[in-house]
């Protein structure tokens, strides 16, 4: 694995994006990150906003854990709020061969090929926009309603499934 | 049809239209090309001395038969097709020998078995007297009664156990239901009258049959006034959006508290907006007592938010500093509401169809007792889902709910709920078998699966698991199996065509259905023989008999919580080889810290979709696109890890991975592959494998092995280690086991399974 930038650089760029520190309004809640994955032929195969946490695996430095926000449905009592199934919005992984930070601040990962693939996918973590930013805001509402313990468990990015009862 | 009487079977020996022999290179014998005649041609039997149907009846039967043929397996392209008008026919077995062959057990292979599918060449020379039409239906019925009844693989319980969240599986014949499985759950209601429900997932191909059973036109509704208890937000709350505004203020402040940041102008504005709205309501002199209580409730929340803003460092975020969830204030009271119910049918209006009402989709809203794992439901409460469903009256207090594929756009509605079927029994216990029986009202197969069909399912599962679908011999066998059923449908039709005379359209539909079901039943042993032989040769066995006699061959399903699973014989037949390849490797699942009791309370590591029907979690909220993003809601995930380093807190660990890897229903990637995790989604599936020997060599920490439905933690699929996060958690799990009388998991003492490592 190689990096065209220093580990500090890409890691801090990633952390800033996920936390929303690039917010123009000065309030981090108004910004965040999205993950866009493309196949080697350039076809976009995945796009989702990212929850505000990430973790570099302690056993495998080129393994990054993230939580793309997928699913979600209106709360029965307050339809303007959304609930998320935490087994659906589960942690996902990027195993990368190369990483670089673009001029626009986005962090691009050349993912390791799987199986018979000659070349892996490209995963780009960039500033969330449009529908993805709206989804992220709904997710933030949801997380605010979790207990502090549940929120901490999500932040750890260790569980493959969610056994708790709150919004599971 | 019976198989005990050679005499009565002789008329079956030849098909009335068979005209030539077709020798085929099928691995387990030869079979002729399926007739290519259309339904109309097949009906033209006057030249053969068959009954002549009136033109209008011919048209109806033609329609029904065409439908049957279309619903049957796709036509096989085997051997040269006969010229049009030269209607080919085939007979399965020859004369008395054929009849005998039908009696043989599927396990009896070899030369005798090959006779099952040989064609006879007596077509043109068939004396009229031997035509199948000679056997009247009464004789056929008598033979039906003579047929020895095979035992079902599993008995459908009369009384499913109350409160068992995963339910009890029932194996149902045919492929109307996904996995040929229904799950019976008896929900605890807190009284001595549980609510028993059958849950199943319909295959998309079977939906047409079910919808044909429904009268789903716009129902005539009549209004009724009902006095009932209602719970919901007060109008004043909704009008002023108090819950929304106070929740938004809490969210803004929590975001700053968590990261130790200064409150922003926006945060302050959100708080002030909520304060203003709540204050305006409180100042309203016309408030009712309920409204006043509601406004004071939100004012209390705002006071807490204000305190945190004032002194953000007073409490650490994780130790009481986070502002608690602002739940909406809900009011419960009695109210008279107008409900619309279907009008009773008028005289002469009954068309035999089931009355169905289309409505917004919903799900059973069950709850789980975290300490006992008991699932409860009152039989009525439902949560909203995104889409539509049919509420169906089955009569006698039985009801069904079906969420169709058609009408639920996969791009915009919940993808995984499409095809879900619920059948509800009247309150009380003891309806298990009746629930399964009621499938017939919906035109679905309701027979319990028997051994031959079980073996066919087993072989198909192994073809998928072992990647045999591309093997030429297996492909030919699959085509032959399809052709056999087509052939049988047509033969039976020729035999029974006279029975169609005088039937109306509805009766013709039932007639065609009976023929299709009987054909499938009759031809099953032959299909098994053909397929077993091909699978045997593709996997290095001399023939089907050798495969069947091998140690790993076990065509019986395993019960796994509320579902079924089949094993793969390449693993069960070579345990030493497997164990050697997996030496030093384990399978793990991270459940997160502090969750062991929750997991063992239900006793299953369940897929997201399974959890939903168990009462764990609400709507999935996923469109088709979202489902592809998650890897599918029907699978639970485990990962390959080194045994030596696997023992971290919050994990279930299988140090004997064979217990899971001998299943035939998993697939895996050595890493996370975005946009490719739904194998049926039409996306690339690069890197996907079902080979347990490749999986053993996975190296990435993000590898994933997806198990269909999940794993039963109280069966032989139990983990060998469960790592607690604290001594207290370990004690709680052991207490749970003790309360249930569980002393061992898969033969290992529970004290040795549940471990606390001190970290």
């Amino acid at each position: 694995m190689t990096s065209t930038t220093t580990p500090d650089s890409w890691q801090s760029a990633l952390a800033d994006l996920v936390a929303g520190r690039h917010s123009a309004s000065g309030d981090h809640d108004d910004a965040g990150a999205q993950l866009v994955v493309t196949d080697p032929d350039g076809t976009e195969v995945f796009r989702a906003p990212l929850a505000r946490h990430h973790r570099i695996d302690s056993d495998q430095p080129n393994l990054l854990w993230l939580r793309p926000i997928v699913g979600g449905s209106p709360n029965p009592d307050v339809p303007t709020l959304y609930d998320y199934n935490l087994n659906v919005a589960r942690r996902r992984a990027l195993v990368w061969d190369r990483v670089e930070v673009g001029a626009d601040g986005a962090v691009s990962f050349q993912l390791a090929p799987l199986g018979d693939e000659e070349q892996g996918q490209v995963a780009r973590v960039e500033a969330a926009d449009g529908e993805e930013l709206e989804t992220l805001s709904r997710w933030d509402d949801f997380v605010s309603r979790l207990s502090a313990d549940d929120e901490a468990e999500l932040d750890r990015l260790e569980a493959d499934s969610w056994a708790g009862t709150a919004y599971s | 049809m019976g198989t005990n009487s050679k005499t009565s079977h002789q008329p079956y020996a030849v098909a009335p239209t068979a005209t030539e022999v077709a020798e085929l290179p099928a691995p387990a014998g030869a079979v002729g090309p399926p007739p290519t005649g259309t339904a109309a041609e097949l009906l033209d039997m006057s030249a053969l001395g068959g009954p002549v149907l009136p033109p209008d009846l011919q048209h109806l039967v033609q329609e029904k038969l065409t439908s049957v043929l279309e619903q049957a397996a796709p036509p096989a392209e085997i051997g040269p097709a006969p010229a049009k008008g030269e209607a080919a026919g085939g007979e399965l077995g020859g004369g008395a020998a054929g009849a005998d062959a039908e009696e043989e057990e599927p396990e009896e292979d070899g030369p005798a078995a090959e006779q099952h599918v040989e064609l006879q060449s007596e077509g043109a020379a068939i004396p009229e007297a031997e035509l199948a039409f000679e056997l009247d239906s009464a004789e056929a019925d008598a033979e039906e009664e003579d047929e020895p009844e095979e035992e079902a693989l599993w008995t459908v319980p009369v009384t499913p156990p109350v409160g068992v969240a995963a339910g009890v599986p029932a194996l149902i014949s045919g492929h109307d239901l996904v996995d040929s499985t229904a799950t019976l759950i008896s929900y605890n209601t807190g009284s001595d009258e549980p609510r028993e429900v059958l849950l199943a997932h319909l295959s998309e191909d079977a939906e047409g049959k079910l919808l044909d059973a429904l009268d789903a036109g716009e129902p005539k509704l009549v209004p009724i006034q009902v006095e009932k208890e209602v719970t919901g937000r007060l109008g004043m709350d909704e009008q002023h959006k108090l819950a929304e505004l106070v929740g938004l203020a809490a969210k803004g402040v929590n975001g700053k508290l968590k990261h130790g940041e200064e409150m922003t102008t926006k945060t302050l504005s959100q708080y002030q907006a909520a304060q203003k709205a709540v204050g305006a309501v409180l100042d309203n002199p016309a408030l009712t007592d309920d409204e006043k209580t509601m406004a004071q409730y939100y004012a209390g929340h705002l006071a807490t938010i204000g305190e945190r803003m004032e002194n953000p460092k007073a409490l650490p975020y994780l130790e009481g500093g986070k502002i608690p969830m602002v739940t909406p204030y809900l009011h419960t009271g009695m109210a008279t509401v107008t409900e619309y119910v279907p009008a009773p049918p008028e005289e002469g209006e009954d068309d035999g169809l089931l009355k169905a009402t289309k409505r917004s989709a919903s799900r059973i809203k069950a709850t789980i007792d975290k300490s006992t794992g008991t699932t409860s439901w009152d039989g009525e409460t439902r949560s909203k889902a995104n889409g539509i469903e049919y509420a169906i009256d089955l009569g006698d207090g039985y009801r069904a709910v079906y969420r169709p594929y058609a009408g639920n756009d996969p791009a915009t509605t919940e993808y995984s709920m499409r095809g879900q079927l619920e059948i509800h029994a009247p309150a009380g216990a003891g309806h298990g078998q009746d629930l399964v029986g009621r499938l017939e009202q919906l035109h679905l197969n309701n027979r319990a699966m028997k051994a031959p069909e079980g073996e066919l399912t087993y072989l198909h599962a192994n073809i998928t698991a072992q990647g045999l679908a591309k093997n030429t011999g297996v492909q030919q066998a699959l085509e032959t199996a399809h052709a056999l059923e087509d052939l049988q449908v047509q033969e039976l039709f020729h035999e029974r065509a006279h029975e169609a005379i005088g039937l109306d359209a509805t009766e013709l539909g039932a007639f065609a259905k009976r023929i299709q079901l009987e054909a499938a039943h009759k031809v099953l042993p032959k299909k098994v023989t053909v397929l077993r032989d091909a699978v045997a040769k593709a996997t290095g066995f001399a023939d089907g008999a050798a495969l069947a006699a091998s140690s790993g061959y076990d065509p019986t399903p395993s019960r796994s919580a509320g579902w079924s699973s089949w094993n793969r014989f390449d693993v069960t037949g070579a345990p030493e080889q497997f164990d050697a390849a997996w030496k030093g490797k384990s399978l793990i699942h991270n459940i997160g810290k502090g969750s062991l009791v929750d997991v063992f309370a239900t006793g299953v590591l369940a897929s997201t979709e399974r959890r939903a029907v168990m009462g764990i979690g609400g709507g999935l909220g996923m469109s088709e696109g979202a489902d592809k993003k998650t890897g599918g809601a029907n699978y639970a995930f485990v990962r390959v890890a080194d045994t030596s380093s696997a023992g971290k807190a919050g994990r279930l660990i299988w140090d004997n991975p064979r217990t899971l890897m001998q299943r035939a229903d998993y697939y895996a990637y050595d890493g996370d592959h975005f946009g490719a995790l739904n194998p049926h989604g039409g996306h690339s599936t690069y890197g996907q494998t079902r080979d347990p020997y490749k999986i053993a060599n996975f190296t990435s920490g993000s590898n994933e092995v997806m198990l269909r439905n999940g794993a039963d933690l109280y069966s032989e699929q139990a983990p060998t280690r469960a790592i607690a996060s604290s001594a207290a958690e370990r004690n709680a799990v052991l207490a749970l086991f003790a309360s249930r009388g569980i002393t061992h998991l898969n033969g290992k003492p529970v004290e040795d399974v549940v471990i606390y490592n001190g970290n």
Side-chain angles (χ1 to χ4, degrees):
Chain A
M1 61 185 180
T2 58
S3 168
T4 58
T5 180
T6 64
D8 283 351
S9 177
W10 77 259
Q11 288 176 20
S12 62
L14 178 70
D16 287 348
L17 280 168
V18 169
R21 293 191 191 103
H22 55 290
S23 168
S25 73
D27 193 309
H28 300 165
D29 290 352
D30 292 338
Q34 64 188 23
L35 175 67
V36 180
V37 182
T38 50
D39 271 345
D41 66 0
T43 306
E44 182 180 311
V45 295
F46 187 93
R47 175 183 288 261
L50 291 172
R52 299 184 186 278
H53 42 235
H54 67 284
R55 180 169 66 83
I56 296 170
D57 195 277
S58 56
D59 296 330
Q60 189 178 347
N62 67 330
L63 168 54
L64 177 67
W65 295 103
L66 299 163
R67 187 183 310 279
I69 302 164
V70 292
S73 54
N75 180 284
D77 297 320
V78 188
T80 52
L81 297 177
Y82 269 59
D83 293 338
Y84 290 84
N85 187 317
L86 295 176
N87 286 296
V88 173
R90 65 184 184 92
R91 68 172 181 165
R92 301 293 294 271
L94 302 180
V95 178
W96 52 271
D97 283 341
R98 192 161 53 86
V99 59
E100 62 184 17
V101 180
D104 58 356
V107 185
S108 291
F109 300 90
Q110 175 65 56
L111 302 185
L114 291 177
D116 300 330
E117 281 182 328
E118 291 181 4
Q119 191 180 353
Q121 298 171 309
V122 172
R124 180 178 154 92
V125 177
E126 61 188 26
D129 195 12
E131 188 181 329
E132 279 66 40
L133 191 55
E134 289 175 22
T135 301
L136 177 58
S137 178
R138 290 198 288 259
W139 169 265
D140 286 341
D141 288 338
F142 166 74
V143 172
S144 180
R145 287 180 280 137
L146 297 179
S147 71
D149 286 344
D150 282 347
E151 186 178 352
E153 181 63 38
L154 281 182
D155 286 344
R156 275 194 283 273
L157 278 166
E158 287 178 345
D160 292 319
S161 62
W162 187 261
T165 53
Y167 301 101
S168 61
Chain B
M1 143 189 345
T3 55
N4 294 332
S5 165
K6 291 179 183 178
T7 304
S8 64
H9 261 278
Q10 282 171 342
Y12 282 102
V14 287
T17 52
T19 55
E20 64 181 13
V21 178
E23 294 292 338
L24 294 171
V31 64
T36 56
T38 64
E41 290 163 349
L42 292 167
L43 284 164
D44 183 12
M45 294 167 288
S46 55
L48 297 164
V52 180
L53 302 179
D56 57 336
L57 189 52
Q58 277 203 28
H59 174 72
L60 278 170
V61 175
Q62 175 185 337
E63 204 172 71
K64 298 296 177 186
L65 181 58
T66 302
S67 171
V68 166
L69 294 175
E70 285 173 354
Q71 286 182 30
E77 295 176 2
I78 306 173
K84 190 176 181 183
E86 188 187 7
E91 181 51 35
L92 308 172
D100 283 347
E102 284 186 320
E103 293 179 14
E104 293 172 13
E105 293 296 319
E107 288 73 16
E108 293 178 22
D109 247 323
E114 290 187 1
Q115 288 184 347
H116 293 187
V117 289
E118 282 181 0
L119 279 173
Q120 297 299 307
S121 58
E122 303 169 61
I126 303 166
E128 270 190 29
E130 287 188 22
L131 291 178
F133 305 135
E134 289 184 353
L135 187 67
D136 63 26
S137 60
E139 195 174 348
D141 289 346
E143 286 197 346
E144 287 285 358
E145 290 166 11
D146 290 340
E147 186 174 9
E149 193 66 21
E150 291 162 6
E151 280 193 21
L153 280 169
W154 292 349
T155 304
V156 177
V158 174
T159 307
V162 178
V164 173
V168 178
L171 272 179
I172 308 299
S173 178
H175 300 288
D176 290 344
L177 307 183
V178 173
D179 292 339
S180 302
T181 303
T183 300
L184 296 167
I185 298 183
S186 179
Y187 290 101
N188 176 43
T189 58
S191 74
D192 57 359
E193 291 202 322
R195 300 303 304 228
E196 294 178 337
V197 183
L198 177 150
L199 300 169
H201 207 123
L202 213 66
S203 73
E204 192 162 1
D205 289 344
E207 178 164 289
K209 293 196 296 183
L210 184 147
L211 295 180
D212 280 349
L214 307 184
D215 176 2
E218 287 302 315
K220 294 174 189 170
L221 299 176
V222 291
I224 57 168
Q225 302 293 317
V226 181
E227 184 81 9
K228 64 190 296 186
E229 190 177 80
V230 293
T231 298
R233 292 172 69 190
L234 293 172
M236 184 75 78
D237 181 2
E238 292 182 327
Q239 183 188 345
H240 293 272
K241 299 188 183 307
L242 301 188
E244 289 89 339
L245 289 169
V246 177
L248 200 59
K251 171 194 168 188
V253 175
N254 273 333
K256 307 303 173 291
L257 291 174
K258 181 176 181 181
H259 301 292
E261 298 170 350
E262 294 292 320
M263 300 296 155
T264 62
T265 307
K266 179 184 172 186
T267 307
L268 189 60
S269 298
Q270 288 170 333
Y271 172 71
Q272 288 170 340
Q275 220 176 15
K276 185 177 176 185
V278 172
V281 171
L282 279 171
D283 289 343
N284 185 339
L287 280 187
T288 64
D289 287 347
D290 287 334
E291 288 167 338
K292 190 172 181 182
T293 304
M294 175 270 295
Q296 286 171 339
Y297 166 82
Y298 288 121
H301 273 290
L302 281 174
T304 303
I305 295 169
E307 286 169 16
R308 297 288 195 283
M309 292 175 71
E310 190 78 21
N311 193 359
K313 295 182 180 172
L315 288 170
Y317 189 72
L318 287 172
E319 296 170 20
K322 181 174 183 178
I323 297 163
M325 176 169 65
V326 180
T327 54
Y329 179 85
L330 300 179
H331 173 74
T332 299
M334 298 302 292
T336 302
V337 297
T338 301
E339 291 186 347
Y340 287 84
V341 297
E346 293 172 9
E347 196 172 338
E349 195 183 41
D350 188 4
D351 52 9
L353 298 175
L354 299 168
K355 298 298 178 196
T357 305
K358 190 155 74 171
R359 66 186 189 189
S360 295
S362 61
R363 291 172 187 270
I364 290 171
K365 194 172 184 180
T367 55
I368 283 269
D369 183 320
K370 283 181 70 174
S371 59
T372 64
T374 300
T375 184
S376 299
W377 183 53
D378 61 9
E380 296 295 334
T381 310
R382 303 181 70 84
S383 57
K384 294 175 185 171
N386 187 14
I388 60 111
E389 66 187 14
Y390 292 107
I392 305 159
D393 183 2
L394 299 176
D396 305 322
Y398 285 83
R399 294 174 293 124
V401 178
Y402 179 63
R403 293 179 275 283
Y405 292 88
N408 281 317
D409 183 347
T412 56
T413 61
E414 290 189 29
Y415 178 63
S416 58
M417 76 171 191
R418 300 163 76 235
Q420 286 180 344
L421 173 67
E422 306 166 7
I423 300 181
H424 299 257
H431 304 100
Q433 294 182 350
D434 289 340
L435 283 167
V436 172
R438 294 274 165 174
L439 287 167
E440 188 175 29
Q441 284 183 276
L442 298 164
H443 292 177
L444 303 174
N445 210 326
N446 68 347
R447 289 181 295 117
M449 184 181 282
K450 297 180 179 179
E453 194 170 15
E455 184 171 7
L456 192 67
T457 306
Y458 173 73
L459 288 166
H460 276 287
N462 271 275
I463 288 170
T464 302
Q466 298 188 45
L468 305 177
K470 291 181 179 173
N471 178 278
T472 305
V474 171
Q475 283 180 343
Q476 285 180 337
L478 289 168
E479 290 167 353
T480 301
H482 289 321
L484 283 169
E485 190 161 332
D486 280 357
L487 210 57
Q488 192 72 61
V489 166
Q490 291 161 26
E491 181 194 2
L492 284 174
F493 177 75
H494 282 297
E495 291 168 358
R496 308 280 174 79
H498 63 287
E499 296 175 24
I501 296 173
L503 301 183
D504 62 23
T506 304
E507 292 166 335
L508 282 172
F511 171 73
K513 185 185 165 199
R514 275 202 309 275
I515 284 182
Q516 188 182 17
L517 288 174
E518 187 174 333
H521 179 66
K522 273 179 64 84
V523 84
L524 194 56
K526 303 176 182 68
K527 288 170 73 172
V528 169
T529 301
V530 168
L531 205 54
R532 188 201 303 133
D533 210 49
V535 168
K537 287 170 182 168
T539 52
F541 290 88
D543 53 29
L547 172 61
S550 66
S551 61
Y553 194 81
D554 181 13
T556 55
S558 301
R559 288 177 195 274
S560 184
W563 53 91
S564 60
S565 68
W566 304 82
N567 285 338
R568 47 190 300 163
F569 62 78
D570 58 338
V571 174
T572 54
E576 296 85 4
Q577 184 187 347
F578 178 93
D579 291 347
W582 279 76
K583 189 176 182 183
K585 297 285 187 179
S586 297
L587 290 169
I588 61 170
H589 180 84
N590 295 278
I591 58 171
K593 292 180 178 174
S595 299
L596 272 186
V597 174
D598 295 337
V599 169
F600 280 111
T602 60
V604 290
L605 174 63
S607 70
T608 306
E609 189 59 47
R610 282 281 166 185
R611 294 166 68 86
V613 299
M614 289 161 60
I616 308 172
L620 307 185
M622 284 193 298
S623 65
E624 183 181 26
D627 187 60
K628 286 172 185 166
K629 289 176 182 177
T630 66
N634 287 311
Y635 292 81
F637 301 75
V638 292
R639 304 180 193 275
V640 182
D642 289 337
T643 303
S644 57
S645 59
K648 294 179 180 173
R651 281 185 175 176
L652 301 176
I653 303 169
W654 288 262
D655 294 321
N656 54 350
R658 182 153 48 87
T659 58
L660 295 178
M661 293 290 92
Q662 68 187 10
R663 290 169 46 165
D665 57 6
Y666 57 81
Y667 63 95
Y669 293 90
D670 192 10
D672 207 340
H673 198 266
F674 289 84
L677 290 176
N678 184 338
H680 306 297
H683 284 279
S684 159
T685 52
Y686 285 124
Q688 185 188 105
T689 183
R690 298 173 190 272
D691 183 342
Y693 295 97
K694 287 184 180 173
I695 297 172
N697 291 316
F698 278 178
T699 55
S700 172
S702 62
N703 74 79
E704 294 180 332
V705 183
M706 275 67 87
L707 303 167
R708 184 162 178 82
N709 293 316
D712 184 342
L713 304 181
Y714 290 149
S715 73
E716 65 173 11
Q717 297 172 12
T720 47
R721 285 186 282 166
I723 315 297
S725 303
S726 65
E729 185 180 27
R730 177 175 185 268
N731 290 338
V733 176
L734 292 178
L736 173 73
F737 289 154
S739 70
R740 296 185 180 186
I742 297 169
T743 58
H744 293 72
L745 291 183
N746 197 22
K748 187 174 180 180
V750 291
E751 292 81 5
D752 297 337
V753 173
V754 186
I755 301 166
Y756 171 53
N757 288 333
N759 54 34

